[in-house]
Amino acid sequence: MVAEDTIEPVIGVIGGSGLYEIDGLENREWRRCESPWGKPSDELLFGTLEGVRCVFLPRHGRGHPIPPSHLNYRANIDALKRAGVTDIISLSAVGSLKEDLAPGHFVLVDQFIDLTQGRPRTFFEEGCVAHVAMGEPVSARMAKTLAEEAEKLDISVTKGGTYVVIEGPQFSTRAESELYRSWGASVIGMTNMPEARLAREAEMNYATVAMVTDYDCWHEEHEHVTVEAVIRTMKSNSTHARELVRRAIPALGKPRPICTGPGAAERALDNAIITPP
Ligand code: ADE
């Protein structure tokens, strides 16, 4: 028996470049999922891990056919919501904006700066106006668990940091990279917005594991970011990412009360809808 105010979490995993599977998944089944927002990036992989229900979505589709600007973020988040997901682990390849965040390092970011342009970023477009809080975009509970599990696996990990989300698909100019560094940002990528905003609107907890693949282009002693360099490091990162997901799912999947701490999303709409009923 589960008490009424207890949640049995369903863990969603959005796999970034280089991550297309969950190790140890049982009762696996790829299923096509519909969404009124259009087509998600791919079928969803359903299964259980140590009894915890989980759902995997390859962000760019299997084989990486969809670039960041063309992802249907709303369909992806909506499909995960309809699949029952309560907590999303977002795995993302990023460039580093800080000397001490070397390629291979993982960062449990807690903030975003959204520089994306023209991506549909809300479910509340017509008829119903909602303004959800985004001051703490990441679930502190999830980030803490992910950091603990990473440390147990001897993955070099930093807790906290700001992720600059650029539109891409080109990497940044050096002046842009230096500007983001002057803002104190930690990492740079192209995919976590509007993903994190939409997860909040859908009342799903969200945490990013940012996996550093390169030093962006500001670093004078390192080769400038190239796809080849990114892919090389991504391969070694993906081994760590798979181990981390394998352990984090059972840790995050224990029945728990509704979350109310920093970055919790489960009641995000309670005080957000401005349209009269
Ligand atoms: N993804 C991986 N490395 C990146 C970089 N340097 N800039 C933007 N996105 C990235």
Side-chain angles (χ1 to χ4, degrees):
M1 264 285 277
V2 178
E4 243 177 60
D5 54 358
T6 301
I7 288 190
E8 284 201 74
V10 178
I11 311 301
V13 179
I14 303 181
S17 321
L19 202 108
Y20 300 107
E21 278 289 343
I22 296 183
D23 292 345
L25 196 68
E26 292 173 341
N27 311 306
R28 304 159 41 93
E29 194 189 347
W30 286 96
R31 280 190 231 153
R32 194 154 57 87
C33 295
E34 305 292 333
S35 160
W37 302 97
K39 265 168 61 140
S41 297
D42 203 331
E43 295 178 330
L44 268 51
L45 175 62
F46 289 75
T48 54
L49 192 63
E50 294 183 23
V52 176
R53 286 167 57 207
C54 37
V55 184
F56 173 73
L57 174 66
R59 182 184 284 114
H60 299 275
R62 279 166 287 181
H64 209 291
I66 315 173
S69 302
H70 293 171
L71 290 170
N72 189 337
Y73 293 93
R74 287 191 294 197
N76 286 352
I77 294 296
D78 182 59
L80 291 173
K81 182 72 181 180
R82 283 165 201 269
V85 167
T86 56
D87 297 46
I88 298 176
I89 305 172
S90 159
L91 294 150
S92 308
V94 295
S96 169
L97 297 170
K98 287 187 188 280
E99 183 77 50
D100 58 338
L101 304 177
H105 199 84
F106 284 15
V107 186
L108 275 312
V109 301
D110 54 8
Q111 285 296 331
F112 298 101
I113 295 173
D114 185 359
L115 301 179
T116 62
Q117 292 160 27
R119 302 180 184 181
R121 54 148 76 175
T122 180
F123 291 115
F124 296 96
E125 252 178 357
E126 270 174 55
C128 182
V129 177
H131 302 288
V132 293
M134 286 299 294
E136 298 293 342
V138 166
S139 158
R141 171 187 56 82
M142 291 182 70
K144 179 168 179 283
T145 301
L146 285 158
E148 283 165 3
E149 295 305 323
E151 274 163 3
K152 284 185 209 159
L153 288 163
D154 277 336
I155 296 170
S156 99
V157 64
T158 295
K159 290 172 234 168
T162 297
Y163 173 146
V164 177
V165 196
I166 57 168
E167 182 58 39
Q170 302 85 0
F171 294 119
S172 307
T173 64
R174 197 171 62 250
E176 288 164 341
S177 197
E178 290 293 3
L179 177 67
Y180 309 146
R181 276 166 53 71
S182 77
W183 293 346
S186 302
V187 295
I188 179 164
M190 302 179 193
T191 56
N192 273 210
M193 284 293 188
E195 203 172 81
R197 294 181 190 285
L198 293 164
R200 176 61 51 86
E201 285 190 347
E203 298 190 317
M204 287 185 284
N205 301 303
Y206 185 88
T208 292
V209 181
M211 306 176 290
V212 176
T213 54
D214 56 270
Y215 269 119
D216 203 36
C217 60
W218 60 271
H219 202 300
E220 283 173 2
E221 284 135 48
H222 277 258
E223 57 184 334
H224 281 188
V225 53
T226 61
V227 168
E228 200 253 318
V230 168
I231 289 177
R232 213 182 315 126
T233 316
M234 222 161 64
K235 285 195 178 137
S236 59
N237 282 353
S238 82
T239 309
H240 278 149
R242 289 166 82 131
E243 288 169 356
L244 177 56
V245 166
R246 173 82 184 76
R247 294 186 59 139
I249 288 174
L252 290 168
K254 297 193 183 81
R256 58 169 169 80
I258 282 179
C259 240
T260 51
E266 275 141 14
R267 291 279 182 260
L269 291 177
D270 277 11
N271 295 308
I273 297 176
I274 204 164
T275 319

